[in-house]
Amino acid sequence: MSGDGFSNGPPPGARPDWTIDQGWETYSQAEHDVWITLYERQAAMLHGRACDEFMRGLDALDLHRAGIPDFARINEELQRLTGWSVVAVPGLVPDDVFFDHLANRRFPAGQFIRKPHELDYLQEPDIFHDVFGHVPMLTDPVFADYMQAYGQGGQRALGLGRLANLARLYWYTVEFGLMNTPAGLRIYGAGIVSSRAESIFALDDPSPNRIGFDLERVMRTNYRIDDFQQVYFVIDSIQTLQEVTLRDFGALYQNLADATDIGVAELVPGDAILTRGTQAYAKAGGRL
Ligand code: PHE
Ligand code: FE
């Protein structure tokens, strides 16, 4: 995850690229237990909900073990599979730093884990969201390339002043993406797979709109960071996502400069609607 704008420099104790040691040997047993609790309840329910690429990655990395995974161990497998690695950072990092890591096939992950009373919701991404949520997909060769290309695209968008548009692409794919597969609708977004409640809501609840992925549509759509999404965008495969994002965004960015934003619950002409949501959850006040 990234924060906003360019960096002034890393916080004390961090390296120039903002990385820190994971300090794996400093986790307490209580912290390992939080991981195990979260892992067990998510892994069990994601069968038939998360896409095959995610489930395969989860198995390949063997993220269960006895608790919070040691990045050094994950990285051996990840390097072998796709050449990616996970690096620890102190929290949100500036956009340019974030993109530089992705462009070099490094995924910046939080080192801390949520407290036992925060199992279901927390504001800042912790190691469970970052590692359980994001890293399995990085074992898929096509998704691995997409994430690197996103990092390069981020550096370009930052220079062109179109980061707000590109950030929506990340949000609605990497974080909250759904995939239409022959077996049914599946989750690949890290923000969903790392949340017990949203793993059910995103697939089964009648409230949100579910719309076929369209690049320009996505880049015009606002998102909310405080509650379940009111719209999910559905890709056909990682391959097709990769193909539509490979093209040069130059002309698209020019169009977007004059385009109006689309609200989170809005439907617009041309939408390939899979589910027309009732928005009942949001109308009832959502999480409140
Ligand atoms: N094709 C995009 C560009 O020209 C870069 C990009 C690739 C962005 C993949 C996101 C994902 O800017
Ligand atoms: Fe994330």
Short mmCIF file of all heavy atoms in Angstrom, two decimals, residues 106-163:
data_model
loop_
_atom_site.label_atom_id
_atom_site.label_comp_id
_atom_site.label_asym_id
_atom_site.label_seq_id
_atom_site.Cartn_x
_atom_site.Cartn_y
_atom_site.Cartn_z
N ARG A 106 9.51 -6.02 -5.95
CA ARG A 106 9.54 -6.14 -4.49
C ARG A 106 8.20 -5.67 -3.96
O ARG A 106 7.75 -4.56 -4.32
CB ARG A 106 10.65 -5.27 -3.89
CG ARG A 106 12.07 -5.72 -4.19
CD ARG A 106 13.09 -4.89 -3.42
NE ARG A 106 13.00 -3.46 -3.76
CZ ARG A 106 13.78 -2.85 -4.66
NH1 ARG A 106 14.71 -3.51 -5.31
NH2 ARG A 106 13.63 -1.55 -4.88
N PHE A 107 7.58 -6.44 -3.08
CA PHE A 107 6.31 -6.01 -2.51
C PHE A 107 6.52 -5.51 -1.08
O PHE A 107 6.94 -6.28 -0.22
CB PHE A 107 5.27 -7.16 -2.53
CG PHE A 107 3.93 -6.65 -2.15
CD1 PHE A 107 3.16 -5.95 -3.07
CD2 PHE A 107 3.44 -6.81 -0.86
CE1 PHE A 107 1.92 -5.43 -2.71
CE2 PHE A 107 2.20 -6.29 -0.49
CZ PHE A 107 1.44 -5.60 -1.42
N PRO A 108 6.24 -4.22 -0.83
CA PRO A 108 6.43 -3.68 0.52
C PRO A 108 5.29 -4.12 1.44
O PRO A 108 4.12 -3.92 1.12
CB PRO A 108 6.38 -2.15 0.32
CG PRO A 108 6.27 -1.92 -1.15
CD PRO A 108 5.78 -3.19 -1.77
N ALA A 109 5.64 -4.72 2.56
CA ALA A 109 4.63 -5.24 3.47
C ALA A 109 4.84 -4.69 4.88
O ALA A 109 5.97 -4.51 5.33
CB ALA A 109 4.71 -6.77 3.51
N GLY A 110 3.73 -4.44 5.55
CA GLY A 110 3.79 -4.05 6.97
C GLY A 110 4.39 -5.20 7.78
O GLY A 110 4.26 -6.37 7.42
N GLN A 111 5.04 -4.83 8.86
CA GLN A 111 5.73 -5.83 9.69
C GLN A 111 4.88 -6.17 10.91
O GLN A 111 4.98 -7.25 11.47
CB GLN A 111 7.09 -5.23 10.07
CG GLN A 111 7.95 -5.98 11.05
CD GLN A 111 7.61 -5.66 12.50
OE1 GLN A 111 6.85 -4.74 12.81
NE2 GLN A 111 8.19 -6.45 13.40
N PHE A 112 3.98 -5.25 11.28
CA PHE A 112 3.20 -5.44 12.52
C PHE A 112 1.93 -6.24 12.24
O PHE A 112 1.45 -6.30 11.10
CB PHE A 112 2.83 -4.08 13.11
CG PHE A 112 1.74 -3.37 12.32
CD1 PHE A 112 0.41 -3.42 12.74
CD2 PHE A 112 2.04 -2.70 11.13
CE1 PHE A 112 -0.59 -2.79 12.00
CE2 PHE A 112 1.04 -2.08 10.39
CZ PHE A 112 -0.28 -2.13 10.83
N ILE A 113 1.40 -6.84 13.29
CA ILE A 113 0.13 -7.58 13.14
C ILE A 113 -0.94 -6.95 14.03
O ILE A 113 -0.63 -6.40 15.09
CB ILE A 113 0.31 -9.08 13.44
CG1 ILE A 113 -0.95 -9.86 13.05
CG2 ILE A 113 0.70 -9.34 14.91
CD1 ILE A 113 -0.70 -11.29 12.62
N ARG A 114 -2.18 -6.99 13.56
CA ARG A 114 -3.30 -6.40 14.31
C ARG A 114 -3.43 -7.04 15.69
O ARG A 114 -2.98 -8.14 15.93
CB ARG A 114 -4.59 -6.55 13.51
CG ARG A 114 -5.04 -7.99 13.36
CD ARG A 114 -6.09 -8.16 12.28
NE ARG A 114 -5.54 -7.98 10.94
CZ ARG A 114 -6.27 -8.03 9.81
NH1 ARG A 114 -7.57 -8.25 9.86
NH2 ARG A 114 -5.69 -7.87 8.65
N LYS A 115 -4.12 -6.33 16.57
CA LYS A 115 -4.36 -6.82 17.93
C LYS A 115 -5.55 -7.79 17.93
O LYS A 115 -6.39 -7.74 17.02
CB LYS A 115 -4.67 -5.64 18.86
CG LYS A 115 -3.55 -4.60 18.90
CD LYS A 115 -2.48 -4.98 19.91
CE LYS A 115 -1.33 -4.00 19.92
NZ LYS A 115 -0.34 -4.24 18.84
N PRO A 116 -5.63 -8.62 18.95
CA PRO A 116 -6.72 -9.61 18.99
C PRO A 116 -8.13 -9.00 18.89
O PRO A 116 -9.04 -9.64 18.38
CB PRO A 116 -6.52 -10.30 20.35
CG PRO A 116 -5.07 -10.15 20.63
CD PRO A 116 -4.67 -8.82 20.06
N HIS A 117 -8.33 -7.74 19.34
CA HIS A 117 -9.67 -7.15 19.24
C HIS A 117 -9.91 -6.48 17.88
O HIS A 117 -10.97 -5.91 17.67
CB HIS A 117 -9.89 -6.13 20.38
CG HIS A 117 -8.98 -4.94 20.31
ND1 HIS A 117 -7.74 -4.92 20.89
CD2 HIS A 117 -9.12 -3.74 19.69
CE1 HIS A 117 -7.16 -3.75 20.64
NE2 HIS A 117 -7.98 -3.02 19.91
N GLU A 118 -8.92 -6.58 16.97
CA GLU A 118 -9.08 -5.95 15.65
C GLU A 118 -9.15 -7.00 14.53
O GLU A 118 -8.88 -6.69 13.38
CB GLU A 118 -7.88 -5.04 15.34
CG GLU A 118 -7.67 -3.91 16.30
CD GLU A 118 -6.33 -3.22 16.08
OE1 GLU A 118 -5.30 -3.91 15.91
OE2 GLU A 118 -6.31 -1.98 16.10
N LEU A 119 -9.52 -8.22 14.87
CA LEU A 119 -9.47 -9.30 13.88
C LEU A 119 -10.27 -8.98 12.63
O LEU A 119 -9.88 -9.32 11.52
CB LEU A 119 -9.99 -10.62 14.48
CG LEU A 119 -9.13 -11.28 15.54
CD1 LEU A 119 -9.62 -12.70 15.79
CD2 LEU A 119 -7.65 -11.28 15.19
N ASP A 120 -11.40 -8.30 12.81
CA ASP A 120 -12.29 -8.10 11.67
C ASP A 120 -12.07 -6.81 10.91
O ASP A 120 -12.50 -6.68 9.78
CB ASP A 120 -13.75 -8.18 12.13
CG ASP A 120 -14.11 -9.61 12.46
OD1 ASP A 120 -13.88 -10.48 11.61
OD2 ASP A 120 -14.56 -9.84 13.60
N TYR A 121 -11.47 -5.84 11.53
CA TYR A 121 -11.34 -4.57 10.83
C TYR A 121 -10.19 -3.75 11.39
O TYR A 121 -10.06 -3.59 12.59
CB TYR A 121 -12.63 -3.76 10.96
CG TYR A 121 -12.57 -2.47 10.17
CD1 TYR A 121 -12.61 -2.49 8.78
CD2 TYR A 121 -12.46 -1.24 10.82
CE1 TYR A 121 -12.53 -1.31 8.06
CE2 TYR A 121 -12.39 -0.05 10.10
CZ TYR A 121 -12.43 -0.10 8.72
OH TYR A 121 -12.35 1.06 7.99
N LEU A 122 -9.35 -3.25 10.51
CA LEU A 122 -8.40 -2.23 10.92
C LEU A 122 -8.11 -1.31 9.75
O LEU A 122 -8.30 -1.67 8.59
CB LEU A 122 -7.14 -2.83 11.54
CG LEU A 122 -5.99 -3.33 10.67
CD1 LEU A 122 -4.79 -3.64 11.54
CD2 LEU A 122 -6.38 -4.55 9.89
N GLN A 123 -7.70 -0.09 10.08
CA GLN A 123 -7.53 0.96 9.07
C GLN A 123 -6.27 0.75 8.22
O GLN A 123 -6.31 0.87 7.01
CB GLN A 123 -7.44 2.33 9.76
CG GLN A 123 -8.78 2.88 10.20
CD GLN A 123 -9.52 3.57 9.06
OE1 GLN A 123 -8.89 4.00 8.11
NE2 GLN A 123 -10.83 3.67 9.15
N GLU A 124 -5.17 0.47 8.90
CA GLU A 124 -3.88 0.40 8.20
C GLU A 124 -3.57 -1.04 7.84
O GLU A 124 -3.81 -1.93 8.64
CB GLU A 124 -2.78 0.91 9.14
CG GLU A 124 -2.24 2.27 8.75
CD GLU A 124 -0.79 2.40 9.15
OE1 GLU A 124 -0.48 2.31 10.35
OE2 GLU A 124 0.04 2.58 8.25
N PRO A 125 -3.02 -1.29 6.65
CA PRO A 125 -2.71 -2.67 6.30
C PRO A 125 -1.62 -3.25 7.21
O PRO A 125 -0.57 -2.65 7.37
CB PRO A 125 -2.21 -2.56 4.85
CG PRO A 125 -1.85 -1.13 4.65
CD PRO A 125 -2.68 -0.33 5.59
N ASP A 126 -1.90 -4.40 7.79
CA ASP A 126 -0.91 -5.08 8.62
C ASP A 126 -0.33 -6.27 7.84
O ASP A 126 -0.64 -6.45 6.66
CB ASP A 126 -1.54 -5.54 9.95
CG ASP A 126 -2.49 -6.71 9.76
OD1 ASP A 126 -2.99 -6.90 8.62
OD2 ASP A 126 -2.75 -7.43 10.74
N ILE A 127 0.48 -7.05 8.51
CA ILE A 127 1.17 -8.14 7.83
C ILE A 127 0.19 -9.20 7.33
O ILE A 127 0.43 -9.84 6.32
CB ILE A 127 2.26 -8.76 8.76
CG1 ILE A 127 3.20 -9.68 7.99
CG2 ILE A 127 1.65 -9.47 9.95
CD1 ILE A 127 4.41 -10.13 8.79
N PHE A 128 -0.93 -9.36 8.00
CA PHE A 128 -1.90 -10.35 7.52
C PHE A 128 -2.50 -9.91 6.20
O PHE A 128 -2.56 -10.66 5.23
CB PHE A 128 -3.00 -10.64 8.55
CG PHE A 128 -3.87 -11.78 8.09
CD1 PHE A 128 -3.41 -13.09 8.15
CD2 PHE A 128 -5.13 -11.54 7.56
CE1 PHE A 128 -4.19 -14.15 7.69
CE2 PHE A 128 -5.91 -12.59 7.09
CZ PHE A 128 -5.44 -13.90 7.17
N HIS A 129 -2.94 -8.67 6.14
CA HIS A 129 -3.47 -8.18 4.86
C HIS A 129 -2.38 -8.24 3.77
O HIS A 129 -2.62 -8.75 2.68
CB HIS A 129 -3.97 -6.73 4.99
CG HIS A 129 -4.22 -6.11 3.64
ND1 HIS A 129 -5.36 -6.36 2.91
CD2 HIS A 129 -3.45 -5.30 2.88
CE1 HIS A 129 -5.27 -5.72 1.75
NE2 HIS A 129 -4.12 -5.07 1.70
N ASP A 130 -1.22 -7.72 4.08
CA ASP A 130 -0.17 -7.61 3.06
C ASP A 130 0.35 -8.96 2.60
O ASP A 130 0.58 -9.16 1.40
CB ASP A 130 0.99 -6.75 3.58
CG ASP A 130 0.68 -5.25 3.49
OD1 ASP A 130 -0.18 -4.86 2.68
OD2 ASP A 130 1.30 -4.47 4.24
N VAL A 131 0.54 -9.88 3.52
CA VAL A 131 1.16 -11.15 3.14
C VAL A 131 0.12 -12.20 2.76
O VAL A 131 0.16 -12.76 1.67
CB VAL A 131 2.12 -11.66 4.24
CG1 VAL A 131 2.64 -13.06 3.91
CG2 VAL A 131 3.29 -10.68 4.38
N PHE A 132 -0.85 -12.43 3.61
CA PHE A 132 -1.90 -13.40 3.26
C PHE A 132 -2.70 -12.89 2.06
O PHE A 132 -3.05 -13.64 1.15
CB PHE A 132 -2.83 -13.63 4.45
CG PHE A 132 -3.91 -14.65 4.18
CD1 PHE A 132 -3.74 -15.98 4.53
CD2 PHE A 132 -5.11 -14.27 3.57
CE1 PHE A 132 -4.74 -16.92 4.27
CE2 PHE A 132 -6.10 -15.20 3.30
CZ PHE A 132 -5.92 -16.53 3.65
N GLY A 133 -3.00 -11.60 2.06
CA GLY A 133 -3.85 -11.03 1.02
C GLY A 133 -3.15 -10.89 -0.32
O GLY A 133 -3.70 -11.27 -1.36
N HIS A 134 -1.95 -10.33 -0.31
CA HIS A 134 -1.29 -9.98 -1.57
C HIS A 134 -0.33 -11.03 -2.12
O HIS A 134 -0.20 -11.19 -3.33
CB HIS A 134 -0.50 -8.68 -1.42
CG HIS A 134 -1.36 -7.45 -1.38
ND1 HIS A 134 -1.91 -6.89 -2.52
CD2 HIS A 134 -1.77 -6.66 -0.35
CE1 HIS A 134 -2.62 -5.81 -2.19
NE2 HIS A 134 -2.55 -5.65 -0.88
N VAL A 135 0.43 -11.66 -1.23
CA VAL A 135 1.58 -12.42 -1.73
C VAL A 135 1.20 -13.69 -2.51
O VAL A 135 1.86 -14.01 -3.50
CB VAL A 135 2.59 -12.68 -0.58
CG1 VAL A 135 3.76 -13.53 -1.06
CG2 VAL A 135 3.12 -11.34 -0.05
N PRO A 136 0.11 -14.40 -2.14
CA PRO A 136 -0.23 -15.58 -2.96
C PRO A 136 -0.39 -15.26 -4.45
O PRO A 136 0.09 -16.02 -5.30
CB PRO A 136 -1.54 -16.08 -2.34
CG PRO A 136 -1.40 -15.69 -0.89
CD PRO A 136 -0.73 -14.35 -0.93
N MET A 137 -1.02 -14.14 -4.78
CA MET A 137 -1.20 -13.80 -6.20
C MET A 137 0.13 -13.52 -6.89
O MET A 137 0.24 -13.66 -8.11
CB MET A 137 -2.13 -12.59 -6.35
CG MET A 137 -3.59 -12.86 -6.02
SD MET A 137 -4.33 -14.20 -6.99
CE MET A 137 -4.39 -13.46 -8.62
N LEU A 138 1.14 -13.12 -6.13
CA LEU A 138 2.45 -12.84 -6.73
C LEU A 138 3.17 -14.11 -7.16
O LEU A 138 4.22 -14.05 -7.80
CB LEU A 138 3.32 -12.04 -5.75
CG LEU A 138 2.83 -10.62 -5.46
CD1 LEU A 138 3.67 -9.98 -4.36
CD2 LEU A 138 2.87 -9.76 -6.73
N THR A 139 2.63 -15.28 -6.81
CA THR A 139 3.21 -16.53 -7.29
C THR A 139 2.71 -16.86 -8.69
O THR A 139 3.22 -17.78 -9.33
CB THR A 139 2.85 -17.73 -6.38
OG1 THR A 139 1.44 -17.96 -6.44
CG2 THR A 139 3.27 -17.48 -4.93
N ASP A 140 1.68 -16.14 -9.15
CA ASP A 140 1.16 -16.37 -10.50
C ASP A 140 1.97 -15.54 -11.50
O ASP A 140 2.05 -14.31 -11.35
CB ASP A 140 -0.32 -15.98 -10.57
CG ASP A 140 -0.87 -16.19 -11.97
OD1 ASP A 140 -1.09 -17.36 -12.33
OD2 ASP A 140 -1.03 -15.20 -12.71
N PRO A 141 2.57 -16.17 -12.52
CA PRO A 141 3.48 -15.44 -13.41
C PRO A 141 2.83 -14.25 -14.11
O PRO A 141 3.47 -13.20 -14.27
CB PRO A 141 3.89 -16.49 -14.44
CG PRO A 141 3.66 -17.81 -13.78
CD PRO A 141 2.52 -17.61 -12.82
N VAL A 142 1.57 -14.37 -14.51
CA VAL A 142 0.93 -13.27 -15.24
C VAL A 142 0.60 -12.13 -14.28
O VAL A 142 0.86 -10.95 -14.56
CB VAL A 142 -0.34 -13.75 -15.98
CG1 VAL A 142 -0.95 -12.61 -16.78
CG2 VAL A 142 -0.01 -14.93 -16.88
N PHE A 143 0.07 -12.46 -13.11
CA PHE A 143 -0.22 -11.42 -12.12
C PHE A 143 1.07 -10.75 -11.66
O PHE A 143 1.11 -9.53 -11.45
CB PHE A 143 -0.97 -12.01 -10.93
CG PHE A 143 -1.58 -10.96 -10.05
CD1 PHE A 143 -2.79 -10.39 -10.38
CD2 PHE A 143 -0.92 -10.52 -8.91
CE1 PHE A 143 -3.35 -9.39 -9.59
CE2 PHE A 143 -1.47 -9.53 -8.11
CZ PHE A 143 -2.70 -8.96 -8.45
N ALA A 144 2.12 -11.54 -11.53
CA ALA A 144 3.43 -11.00 -11.13
C ALA A 144 3.90 -9.94 -12.13
O ALA A 144 4.40 -8.88 -11.73
CB ALA A 144 4.45 -12.13 -11.03
N ASP A 145 3.69 -10.21 -13.41
CA ASP A 145 4.07 -9.22 -14.44
C ASP A 145 3.17 -7.99 -14.38
O ASP A 145 3.63 -6.86 -14.58
CB ASP A 145 3.97 -9.85 -15.84
CG ASP A 145 5.09 -10.84 -16.13
OD1 ASP A 145 6.05 -10.90 -15.32
OD2 ASP A 145 5.00 -11.54 -17.14
N TYR A 146 1.88 -8.21 -14.14
CA TYR A 146 0.94 -7.10 -14.03
C TYR A 146 1.36 -6.14 -12.91
O TYR A 146 1.37 -4.92 -13.08
CB TYR A 146 -0.47 -7.64 -13.77
CG TYR A 146 -1.50 -6.58 -13.44
CD1 TYR A 146 -1.93 -5.67 -14.40
CD2 TYR A 146 -2.04 -6.50 -12.16
CE1 TYR A 146 -2.88 -4.69 -14.09
CE2 TYR A 146 -2.99 -5.53 -11.85
CZ TYR A 146 -3.40 -4.63 -12.81
OH TYR A 146 -4.33 -3.66 -12.50
N MET A 147 1.73 -6.70 -11.77
CA MET A 147 2.11 -5.85 -10.63
C MET A 147 3.38 -5.06 -10.92
O MET A 147 3.50 -3.90 -10.51
CB MET A 147 2.31 -6.70 -9.38
CG MET A 147 1.01 -7.18 -8.77
SD MET A 147 0.07 -5.84 -7.95
CE MET A 147 0.91 -5.85 -6.36
N GLN A 148 4.32 -5.67 -11.61
CA GLN A 148 5.53 -4.93 -11.97
C GLN A 148 5.19 -3.80 -12.95
O GLN A 148 5.64 -2.66 -12.78
CB GLN A 148 6.57 -5.86 -12.60
CG GLN A 148 7.81 -5.09 -13.06
CD GLN A 148 8.88 -5.96 -13.67
OE1 GLN A 148 8.61 -7.07 -14.13
NE2 GLN A 148 10.11 -5.45 -13.66
N ALA A 149 4.36 -4.13 -13.94
CA ALA A 149 3.95 -3.11 -14.92
C ALA A 149 3.19 -1.98 -14.23
O ALA A 149 3.33 -0.81 -14.58
CB ALA A 149 3.09 -3.75 -16.01
N TYR A 150 2.41 -2.34 -13.22
CA TYR A 150 1.69 -1.32 -12.46
C TYR A 150 2.67 -0.35 -11.79
O TYR A 150 2.47 0.87 -11.79
CB TYR A 150 0.75 -1.94 -11.42
CG TYR A 150 -0.09 -0.86 -10.76
CD1 TYR A 150 -1.34 -0.53 -11.26
CD2 TYR A 150 0.42 -0.14 -9.68
CE1 TYR A 150 -2.07 0.50 -10.71
CE2 TYR A 150 -0.31 0.90 -9.11
CZ TYR A 150 -1.56 1.21 -9.63
OH TYR A 150 -2.26 2.25 -9.09
N GLY A 151 3.73 -0.90 -11.24
CA GLY A 151 4.75 -0.05 -10.60
C GLY A 151 5.36 0.92 -11.60
O GLY A 151 5.53 2.12 -11.33
N GLN A 152 5.66 0.42 -12.79
CA GLN A 152 6.23 1.29 -13.84
C GLN A 152 5.19 2.32 -14.28
O GLN A 152 5.51 3.50 -14.47
CB GLN A 152 6.69 0.44 -15.02
CG GLN A 152 7.86 -0.47 -14.67
CD GLN A 152 8.04 -1.63 -15.64
OE1 GLN A 152 7.13 -2.00 -16.39
NE2 GLN A 152 9.23 -2.23 -15.63
N GLY A 153 3.94 1.86 -14.43
CA GLY A 153 2.86 2.76 -14.80
C GLY A 153 2.61 3.83 -13.73
O GLY A 153 2.24 4.95 -14.05
N GLY A 154 2.83 3.46 -12.49
CA GLY A 154 2.65 4.40 -11.38
C GLY A 154 3.66 5.54 -11.46
O GLY A 154 3.32 6.71 -11.25
N GLN A 155 4.89 5.18 -11.77
CA GLN A 155 5.93 6.22 -11.89
C GLN A 155 5.55 7.20 -13.00
O GLN A 155 5.70 8.41 -12.86
CB GLN A 155 7.28 5.55 -12.19
CG GLN A 155 7.78 4.73 -11.01
CD GLN A 155 8.94 3.80 -11.35
OE1 GLN A 155 9.04 3.27 -12.44
NE2 GLN A 155 9.83 3.60 -10.37
N ARG A 156 5.01 6.66 -14.09
CA ARG A 156 4.60 7.51 -15.21
C ARG A 156 3.39 8.38 -14.84
O ARG A 156 3.37 9.58 -15.11
CB ARG A 156 4.26 6.61 -16.39
CG ARG A 156 3.85 7.39 -17.62
CD ARG A 156 3.51 6.43 -18.75
NE ARG A 156 3.19 7.17 -19.96
CZ ARG A 156 2.40 6.73 -20.92
NH1 ARG A 156 1.86 5.53 -20.81
NH2 ARG A 156 2.16 7.46 -21.97
N ALA A 157 2.40 7.77 -14.19
CA ALA A 157 1.18 8.51 -13.82
C ALA A 157 1.50 9.64 -12.85
O ALA A 157 0.92 10.72 -12.91
CB ALA A 157 0.16 7.55 -13.20
N LEU A 158 2.45 9.38 -11.97
CA LEU A 158 2.87 10.40 -11.00
C LEU A 158 3.44 11.61 -11.75
O LEU A 158 3.09 12.75 -11.45
CB LEU A 158 3.95 9.76 -10.10
CG LEU A 158 4.19 10.25 -8.69
CD1 LEU A 158 2.90 10.37 -7.90
CD2 LEU A 158 5.13 9.28 -7.99
N GLY A 159 4.24 11.33 -12.76
CA GLY A 159 4.83 12.40 -13.56
C GLY A 159 3.79 13.16 -14.36
O GLY A 159 3.94 14.36 -14.60
N LEU A 160 2.71 12.46 -14.78
CA LEU A 160 1.69 13.08 -15.62
C LEU A 160 0.55 13.68 -14.80
O LEU A 160 -0.40 14.23 -15.36
CB LEU A 160 1.10 12.03 -16.59
CG LEU A 160 2.04 11.48 -17.67
CD1 LEU A 160 1.37 10.33 -18.42
CD2 LEU A 160 2.44 12.60 -18.64
N GLY A 161 0.60 13.52 -13.49
CA GLY A 161 -0.47 14.05 -12.65
C GLY A 161 -1.77 13.27 -12.75
O GLY A 161 -2.85 13.80 -12.51
N ARG A 162 -1.69 11.97 -13.11
CA ARG A 162 -2.92 11.17 -13.25
C ARG A 162 -2.97 10.02 -12.24
O ARG A 162 -3.65 9.02 -12.44
CB ARG A 162 -3.03 10.60 -14.69
CG ARG A 162 -2.99 11.67 -15.72
CD ARG A 162 -4.34 12.11 -16.29
NE ARG A 162 -5.49 12.18 -15.44
CZ ARG A 162 -6.15 13.32 -15.16
NH1 ARG A 162 -5.74 14.49 -15.58
NH2 ARG A 162 -7.24 13.28 -14.44
N LEU A 163 -2.27 10.21 -11.15
CA LEU A 163 -2.21 9.14 -10.16
C LEU A 163 -3.58 8.79 -9.59
O LEU A 163 -3.87 7.63 -9.29
CB LEU A 163 -1.25 9.52 -9.03
CG LEU A 163 -0.92 8.38 -8.09
CD1 LEU A 163 -0.36 7.20 -8.85
CD2 LEU A 163 0.06 8.84 -7.03
#
